[in-house]
Amino acid sequence: MIPITVVDAFTSQPFSGNPAAVCMLERWPNGEWLQLVAREMNLSETAFLVPLRDAEFELRWLTPTVEVALCGHATLAAAHAIWELQQAKNTELRFQTRSGCLSATRLPEQQIALDFPQKPALACHAPRQLFGSLGITEQPLLRNEFDYLIELDSEASVRAIRPNFQLLRNVDCRGVIVTARAEDPRFDFVSRFFAPAVGVDEDPVTGSAHCCLAHHWNNKLTKQDLVGYQASLRGGIVRMHCKRDRVKLIGEAITVLKGHLLTLPPT
């Protein structure tokens, strides 16, 4: 039997934040089996781990439809699961991924800090259907290697967006980040993230999007330490500390389900 856990990330309350499944493996099966498991879990991401040595793991992330190159909330969930389920004593974990070596550090008060690369977005031309699929007028547009970034005039405008996901699915990108300054003084900005092209219409809390948002708002607000609120139905808080080309994504996590896969991968 293969242990599998569901963890709500970037939250301290169950049934909020972003749920991720965490699957601990002894070796890598074929990619088709990984994709079937991710589709079965039907969450934004399932994290698959294979141990390399003490406190170091290979880590891969799959949505219900594709494997992705970077995922923050499932990395947070994976670190939480390792520390909780394996009673690991190390205060730092290392993950070898498609985006290089990432680390997670255990902080006081149940918080975890992920060390991720910043992903700056640059000005670009709008692709056909992008603004129409979001139901908004054309705005200045930025893009990084993964996503488009649009800053709107108000938090209310961000919350009011009702995308046409069928149209948005045809836009050539992983996803679209929409953001604005926060009205609540506890937060610097709010955001939402839409990624129907990779099988996630609206992601509840997106760590990798904050690698872009941290750079954007650090430049606009000249603040190294930022707090973002992702204004999805579930909602979640991401704290950030920017340093050179890296960003620490800081959040909490809580386990909501523990179990085992009864169907083993092919040998």
Side-chain angles (χ1 to χ4, degrees), residues 193-220:
F193 183 75
F194 310 111
V198 296
V200 183
D201 282 354
E202 180 168 5
D203 196 36
V205 193
T206 315
S208 61
H210 284 77
C211 296
C212 178
L213 288 161
H215 181 271
H216 180 76
W217 288 106
N218 169 238
N219 285 345
K220 290 208 71 167

PDB file of all heavy atoms in Angstrom, residues 193-220:
ATOM      1  N   PHE A 193      -6.361  33.430  -9.581  1.00  0.00           N
ATOM      2  CA  PHE A 193      -5.553  32.713 -10.567  1.00  0.00           C
ATOM      3  C   PHE A 193      -6.429  31.726 -11.324  1.00  0.00           C
ATOM      4  O   PHE A 193      -7.086  30.871 -10.719  1.00  0.00           O
ATOM      5  CB  PHE A 193      -4.408  31.973  -9.876  1.00  0.00           C
ATOM      6  CG  PHE A 193      -3.484  31.276 -10.838  1.00  0.00           C
ATOM      7  CD1 PHE A 193      -2.563  31.998 -11.586  1.00  0.00           C
ATOM      8  CD2 PHE A 193      -3.533  29.907 -11.004  1.00  0.00           C
ATOM      9  CE1 PHE A 193      -1.709  31.359 -12.477  1.00  0.00           C
ATOM     10  CE2 PHE A 193      -2.686  29.255 -11.885  1.00  0.00           C
ATOM     11  CZ  PHE A 193      -1.770  29.987 -12.618  1.00  0.00           C
ATOM     12  N   PHE A 194      -6.403  31.841 -12.648  1.00  0.00           N
ATOM     13  CA  PHE A 194      -7.229  30.997 -13.516  1.00  0.00           C
ATOM     14  C   PHE A 194      -6.322  30.192 -14.451  1.00  0.00           C
ATOM     15  O   PHE A 194      -5.460  30.760 -15.116  1.00  0.00           O
ATOM     16  CB  PHE A 194      -8.174  31.863 -14.344  1.00  0.00           C
ATOM     17  CG  PHE A 194      -8.950  32.869 -13.525  1.00  0.00           C
ATOM     18  CD1 PHE A 194      -8.696  34.224 -13.635  1.00  0.00           C
ATOM     19  CD2 PHE A 194      -9.924  32.452 -12.624  1.00  0.00           C
ATOM     20  CE1 PHE A 194      -9.395  35.158 -12.881  1.00  0.00           C
ATOM     21  CE2 PHE A 194     -10.621  33.368 -11.856  1.00  0.00           C
ATOM     22  CZ  PHE A 194     -10.362  34.717 -11.988  1.00  0.00           C
ATOM     23  N   ALA A 195      -6.518  28.863 -14.494  1.00  0.00           N
ATOM     24  CA  ALA A 195      -5.624  28.020 -15.302  1.00  0.00           C
ATOM     25  C   ALA A 195      -6.376  26.858 -15.945  1.00  0.00           C
ATOM     26  O   ALA A 195      -5.998  25.697 -15.776  1.00  0.00           O
ATOM     27  CB  ALA A 195      -4.480  27.503 -14.440  1.00  0.00           C
ATOM     28  N   PRO A 196      -7.440  27.140 -16.709  1.00  0.00           N
ATOM     29  CA  PRO A 196      -8.179  26.028 -17.320  1.00  0.00           C
ATOM     30  C   PRO A 196      -7.364  25.225 -18.321  1.00  0.00           C
ATOM     31  O   PRO A 196      -7.662  24.051 -18.558  1.00  0.00           O
ATOM     32  CB  PRO A 196      -9.371  26.723 -17.990  1.00  0.00           C
ATOM     33  CG  PRO A 196      -8.920  28.134 -18.218  1.00  0.00           C
ATOM     34  CD  PRO A 196      -8.032  28.447 -17.053  1.00  0.00           C
ATOM     35  N   ALA A 197      -6.320  25.820 -18.903  1.00  0.00           N
ATOM     36  CA  ALA A 197      -5.510  25.095 -19.883  1.00  0.00           C
ATOM     37  C   ALA A 197      -4.778  23.907 -19.267  1.00  0.00           C
ATOM     38  O   ALA A 197      -4.422  22.964 -19.976  1.00  0.00           O
ATOM     39  CB  ALA A 197      -4.500  26.035 -20.535  1.00  0.00           C
ATOM     40  N   VAL A 198      -4.552  23.938 -17.945  1.00  0.00           N
ATOM     41  CA  VAL A 198      -3.896  22.808 -17.276  1.00  0.00           C
ATOM     42  C   VAL A 198      -4.867  22.073 -16.339  1.00  0.00           C
ATOM     43  O   VAL A 198      -4.444  21.362 -15.429  1.00  0.00           O
ATOM     44  CB  VAL A 198      -2.628  23.251 -16.514  1.00  0.00           C
ATOM     45  CG1 VAL A 198      -1.583  23.774 -17.485  1.00  0.00           C
ATOM     46  CG2 VAL A 198      -2.937  24.296 -15.448  1.00  0.00           C
ATOM     47  N   GLY A 199      -6.163  22.267 -16.576  1.00  0.00           N
ATOM     48  CA  GLY A 199      -7.153  21.496 -15.845  1.00  0.00           C
ATOM     49  C   GLY A 199      -7.623  22.090 -14.536  1.00  0.00           C
ATOM     50  O   GLY A 199      -8.275  21.410 -13.742  1.00  0.00           O
ATOM     51  N   VAL A 200      -7.314  23.375 -14.279  1.00  0.00           N
ATOM     52  CA  VAL A 200      -7.707  24.022 -13.021  1.00  0.00           C
ATOM     53  C   VAL A 200      -8.391  25.335 -13.365  1.00  0.00           C
ATOM     54  O   VAL A 200      -7.714  26.335 -13.645  1.00  0.00           O
ATOM     55  CB  VAL A 200      -6.481  24.277 -12.114  1.00  0.00           C
ATOM     56  CG1 VAL A 200      -6.926  24.885 -10.786  1.00  0.00           C
ATOM     57  CG2 VAL A 200      -5.689  22.999 -11.889  1.00  0.00           C
ATOM     58  N   ASP A 201      -9.716  25.381 -13.344  1.00  0.00           N
ATOM     59  CA  ASP A 201     -10.410  26.611 -13.740  1.00  0.00           C
ATOM     60  C   ASP A 201      -9.992  27.792 -12.866  1.00  0.00           C
ATOM     61  O   ASP A 201      -9.507  28.806 -13.371  1.00  0.00           O
ATOM     62  CB  ASP A 201     -11.928  26.403 -13.692  1.00  0.00           C
ATOM     63  CG  ASP A 201     -12.441  25.632 -14.894  1.00  0.00           C
ATOM     64  OD1 ASP A 201     -11.647  25.362 -15.825  1.00  0.00           O
ATOM     65  OD2 ASP A 201     -13.634  25.282 -14.903  1.00  0.00           O
ATOM     66  N   GLU A 202     -10.199  27.674 -11.558  1.00  0.00           N
ATOM     67  CA  GLU A 202      -9.686  28.683 -10.627  1.00  0.00           C
ATOM     68  C   GLU A 202      -8.992  27.982  -9.485  1.00  0.00           C
ATOM     69  O   GLU A 202      -9.588  27.189  -8.770  1.00  0.00           O
ATOM     70  CB  GLU A 202     -10.785  29.604 -10.084  1.00  0.00           C
ATOM     71  CG  GLU A 202     -10.205  30.639  -9.116  1.00  0.00           C
ATOM     72  CD  GLU A 202     -11.135  31.778  -8.748  1.00  0.00           C
ATOM     73  OE1 GLU A 202     -12.308  31.763  -9.163  1.00  0.00           O
ATOM     74  OE2 GLU A 202     -10.686  32.701  -8.027  1.00  0.00           O
ATOM     75  N   ASP A 203      -7.717  28.292  -9.323  1.00  0.00           N
ATOM     76  CA  ASP A 203      -6.931  27.675  -8.254  1.00  0.00           C
ATOM     77  C   ASP A 203      -7.180  28.440  -6.956  1.00  0.00           C
ATOM     78  O   ASP A 203      -7.157  29.673  -6.943  1.00  0.00           O
ATOM     79  CB  ASP A 203      -5.450  27.730  -8.625  1.00  0.00           C
ATOM     80  CG  ASP A 203      -4.610  26.792  -7.791  1.00  0.00           C
ATOM     81  OD1 ASP A 203      -5.091  25.685  -7.466  1.00  0.00           O
ATOM     82  OD2 ASP A 203      -3.463  27.146  -7.469  1.00  0.00           O
ATOM     83  N   PRO A 204      -7.408  27.734  -5.837  1.00  0.00           N
ATOM     84  CA  PRO A 204      -7.738  28.444  -4.593  1.00  0.00           C
ATOM     85  C   PRO A 204      -6.620  29.338  -4.053  1.00  0.00           C
ATOM     86  O   PRO A 204      -6.864  30.485  -3.696  1.00  0.00           O
ATOM     87  CB  PRO A 204      -8.067  27.307  -3.616  1.00  0.00           C
ATOM     88  CG  PRO A 204      -8.518  26.180  -4.480  1.00  0.00           C
ATOM     89  CD  PRO A 204      -7.676  26.280  -5.713  1.00  0.00           C
ATOM     90  N   VAL A 205      -5.392  28.811  -3.965  1.00  0.00           N
ATOM     91  CA  VAL A 205      -4.243  29.606  -3.498  1.00  0.00           C
ATOM     92  C   VAL A 205      -3.018  29.099  -4.247  1.00  0.00           C
ATOM     93  O   VAL A 205      -2.680  27.921  -4.123  1.00  0.00           O
ATOM     94  CB  VAL A 205      -3.998  29.489  -1.977  1.00  0.00           C
ATOM     95  CG1 VAL A 205      -3.009  30.565  -1.530  1.00  0.00           C
ATOM     96  CG2 VAL A 205      -5.285  29.593  -1.177  1.00  0.00           C
ATOM     97  N   THR A 206      -2.329  29.973  -4.965  1.00  0.00           N
ATOM     98  CA  THR A 206      -1.311  29.551  -5.921  1.00  0.00           C
ATOM     99  C   THR A 206       0.052  30.074  -5.506  1.00  0.00           C
ATOM    100  O   THR A 206       0.392  31.235  -5.747  1.00  0.00           O
ATOM    101  CB  THR A 206      -1.667  30.061  -7.331  1.00  0.00           C
ATOM    102  OG1 THR A 206      -3.049  29.829  -7.576  1.00  0.00           O
ATOM    103  CG2 THR A 206      -0.830  29.365  -8.390  1.00  0.00           C
ATOM    104  N   GLY A 207       0.870  29.196  -4.914  1.00  0.00           N
ATOM    105  CA  GLY A 207       2.192  29.616  -4.468  1.00  0.00           C
ATOM    106  C   GLY A 207       3.056  30.117  -5.606  1.00  0.00           C
ATOM    107  O   GLY A 207       3.710  31.161  -5.494  1.00  0.00           O
ATOM    108  N   SER A 208       3.076  29.384  -6.730  1.00  0.00           N
ATOM    109  CA  SER A 208       3.954  29.772  -7.838  1.00  0.00           C
ATOM    110  C   SER A 208       3.549  31.111  -8.448  1.00  0.00           C
ATOM    111  O   SER A 208       4.402  31.848  -8.950  1.00  0.00           O
ATOM    112  CB  SER A 208       3.974  28.683  -8.910  1.00  0.00           C
ATOM    113  OG  SER A 208       2.686  28.463  -9.451  1.00  0.00           O
ATOM    114  N   ALA A 209       2.261  31.452  -8.425  1.00  0.00           N
ATOM    115  CA  ALA A 209       1.845  32.766  -8.907  1.00  0.00           C
ATOM    116  C   ALA A 209       2.420  33.875  -8.035  1.00  0.00           C
ATOM    117  O   ALA A 209       2.700  34.984  -8.518  1.00  0.00           O
ATOM    118  CB  ALA A 209       0.320  32.859  -8.943  1.00  0.00           C
ATOM    119  N   HIS A 210       2.632  33.580  -6.749  1.00  0.00           N
ATOM    120  CA  HIS A 210       3.196  34.590  -5.856  1.00  0.00           C
ATOM    121  C   HIS A 210       4.695  34.789  -6.083  1.00  0.00           C
ATOM    122  O   HIS A 210       5.262  35.776  -5.602  1.00  0.00           O
ATOM    123  CB  HIS A 210       2.885  34.238  -4.404  1.00  0.00           C
ATOM    124  CG  HIS A 210       1.461  34.530  -4.031  1.00  0.00           C
ATOM    125  ND1 HIS A 210       0.415  33.719  -4.414  1.00  0.00           N
ATOM    126  CD2 HIS A 210       0.901  35.575  -3.362  1.00  0.00           C
ATOM    127  CE1 HIS A 210      -0.723  34.238  -3.975  1.00  0.00           C
ATOM    128  NE2 HIS A 210      -0.453  35.363  -3.343  1.00  0.00           N
ATOM    129  N   CYS A 211       5.342  33.899  -6.829  1.00  0.00           N
ATOM    130  CA  CYS A 211       6.717  34.157  -7.265  1.00  0.00           C
ATOM    131  C   CYS A 211       6.750  35.316  -8.248  1.00  0.00           C
ATOM    132  O   CYS A 211       7.745  36.031  -8.346  1.00  0.00           O
ATOM    133  CB  CYS A 211       7.307  32.910  -7.917  1.00  0.00           C
ATOM    134  SG  CYS A 211       7.470  31.495  -6.817  1.00  0.00           S
ATOM    135  N   CYS A 212       5.667  35.488  -8.989  1.00  0.00           N
ATOM    136  CA  CYS A 212       5.499  36.621  -9.898  1.00  0.00           C
ATOM    137  C   CYS A 212       4.945  37.834  -9.147  1.00  0.00           C
ATOM    138  O   CYS A 212       5.450  38.951  -9.290  1.00  0.00           O
ATOM    139  CB  CYS A 212       4.568  36.216 -11.031  1.00  0.00           C
ATOM    140  SG  CYS A 212       4.196  37.518 -12.221  1.00  0.00           S
ATOM    141  N   LEU A 213       3.917  37.615  -8.344  1.00  0.00           N
ATOM    142  CA  LEU A 213       3.284  38.709  -7.600  1.00  0.00           C
ATOM    143  C   LEU A 213       4.257  39.370  -6.631  1.00  0.00           C
ATOM    144  O   LEU A 213       4.229  40.593  -6.445  1.00  0.00           O
ATOM    145  CB  LEU A 213       2.067  38.174  -6.845  1.00  0.00           C
ATOM    146  CG  LEU A 213       0.857  37.824  -7.718  1.00  0.00           C
ATOM    147  CD1 LEU A 213      -0.094  36.885  -6.973  1.00  0.00           C
ATOM    148  CD2 LEU A 213       0.125  39.092  -8.151  1.00  0.00           C
ATOM    149  N   ALA A 214       5.114  38.573  -5.997  1.00  0.00           N
ATOM    150  CA  ALA A 214       6.084  39.142  -5.054  1.00  0.00           C
ATOM    151  C   ALA A 214       6.998  40.136  -5.764  1.00  0.00           C
ATOM    152  O   ALA A 214       7.256  41.233  -5.253  1.00  0.00           O
ATOM    153  CB  ALA A 214       6.905  38.022  -4.420  1.00  0.00           C
ATOM    154  N   HIS A 215       7.488  39.776  -6.929  1.00  0.00           N
ATOM    155  CA  HIS A 215       8.359  40.682  -7.695  1.00  0.00           C
ATOM    156  C   HIS A 215       7.598  41.941  -8.110  1.00  0.00           C
ATOM    157  O   HIS A 215       8.104  43.067  -7.988  1.00  0.00           O
ATOM    158  CB  HIS A 215       8.898  39.951  -8.928  1.00  0.00           C
ATOM    159  CG  HIS A 215       9.820  40.786  -9.759  1.00  0.00           C
ATOM    160  ND1 HIS A 215       9.370  41.601 -10.780  1.00  0.00           N
ATOM    161  CD2 HIS A 215      11.170  40.950  -9.707  1.00  0.00           C
ATOM    162  CE1 HIS A 215      10.394  42.216 -11.318  1.00  0.00           C
ATOM    163  NE2 HIS A 215      11.492  41.846 -10.702  1.00  0.00           N
ATOM    164  N   HIS A 216       6.366  41.763  -8.586  1.00  0.00           N
ATOM    165  CA  HIS A 216       5.562  42.888  -9.062  1.00  0.00           C
ATOM    166  C   HIS A 216       5.281  43.894  -7.940  1.00  0.00           C
ATOM    167  O   HIS A 216       5.519  45.099  -8.099  1.00  0.00           O
ATOM    168  CB  HIS A 216       4.252  42.354  -9.636  1.00  0.00           C
ATOM    169  CG  HIS A 216       3.330  43.403 -10.159  1.00  0.00           C
ATOM    170  ND1 HIS A 216       3.540  44.043 -11.356  1.00  0.00           N
ATOM    171  CD2 HIS A 216       2.173  43.932  -9.639  1.00  0.00           C
ATOM    172  CE1 HIS A 216       2.565  44.922 -11.563  1.00  0.00           C
ATOM    173  NE2 HIS A 216       1.735  44.875 -10.533  1.00  0.00           N
ATOM    174  N   TRP A 217       4.795  43.401  -6.798  1.00  0.00           N
ATOM    175  CA  TRP A 217       4.410  44.311  -5.718  1.00  0.00           C
ATOM    176  C   TRP A 217       5.608  44.799  -4.908  1.00  0.00           C
ATOM    177  O   TRP A 217       5.570  45.892  -4.340  1.00  0.00           O
ATOM    178  CB  TRP A 217       3.361  43.643  -4.831  1.00  0.00           C
ATOM    179  CG  TRP A 217       2.038  43.543  -5.532  1.00  0.00           C
ATOM    180  CD1 TRP A 217       1.455  42.426  -6.054  1.00  0.00           C
ATOM    181  CD2 TRP A 217       1.148  44.632  -5.833  1.00  0.00           C
ATOM    182  NE1 TRP A 217       0.261  42.745  -6.653  1.00  0.00           N
ATOM    183  CE2 TRP A 217       0.040  44.080  -6.530  1.00  0.00           C
ATOM    184  CE3 TRP A 217       1.170  46.004  -5.584  1.00  0.00           C
ATOM    185  CZ2 TRP A 217      -1.021  44.865  -6.973  1.00  0.00           C
ATOM    186  CZ3 TRP A 217       0.117  46.788  -6.019  1.00  0.00           C
ATOM    187  CH2 TRP A 217      -0.967  46.214  -6.704  1.00  0.00           C
ATOM    188  N   ASN A 218       6.684  44.031  -4.862  1.00  0.00           N
ATOM    189  CA  ASN A 218       7.915  44.513  -4.261  1.00  0.00           C
ATOM    190  C   ASN A 218       8.406  45.765  -4.991  1.00  0.00           C
ATOM    191  O   ASN A 218       8.809  46.762  -4.371  1.00  0.00           O
ATOM    192  CB  ASN A 218       8.969  43.405  -4.302  1.00  0.00           C
ATOM    193  CG  ASN A 218      10.371  43.885  -3.936  1.00  0.00           C
ATOM    194  OD1 ASN A 218      11.299  43.741  -4.718  1.00  0.00           O
ATOM    195  ND2 ASN A 218      10.535  44.438  -2.754  1.00  0.00           N
ATOM    196  N   ASN A 219       8.343  45.741  -6.322  1.00  0.00           N
ATOM    197  CA  ASN A 219       8.762  46.906  -7.118  1.00  0.00           C
ATOM    198  C   ASN A 219       7.804  48.076  -6.960  1.00  0.00           C
ATOM    199  O   ASN A 219       8.228  49.240  -6.873  1.00  0.00           O
ATOM    200  CB  ASN A 219       8.866  46.520  -8.592  1.00  0.00           C
ATOM    201  CG  ASN A 219      10.106  45.697  -8.883  1.00  0.00           C
ATOM    202  OD1 ASN A 219      11.021  45.635  -8.071  1.00  0.00           O
ATOM    203  ND2 ASN A 219      10.130  45.046 -10.037  1.00  0.00           N
ATOM    204  N   LYS A 220       6.496  47.792  -6.918  1.00  0.00           N
ATOM    205  CA  LYS A 220       5.508  48.883  -6.844  1.00  0.00           C
ATOM    206  C   LYS A 220       5.464  49.520  -5.464  1.00  0.00           C
ATOM    207  O   LYS A 220       5.302  50.739  -5.335  1.00  0.00           O
ATOM    208  CB  LYS A 220       4.116  48.350  -7.193  1.00  0.00           C
ATOM    209  CG  LYS A 220       3.928  47.983  -8.654  1.00  0.00           C
ATOM    210  CD  LYS A 220       2.490  48.118  -9.090  1.00  0.00           C
ATOM    211  CE  LYS A 220       2.091  49.572  -9.172  1.00  0.00           C
ATOM    212  NZ  LYS A 220       0.805  49.767  -9.884  1.00  0.00           N
TER     213      LYS A 220
END
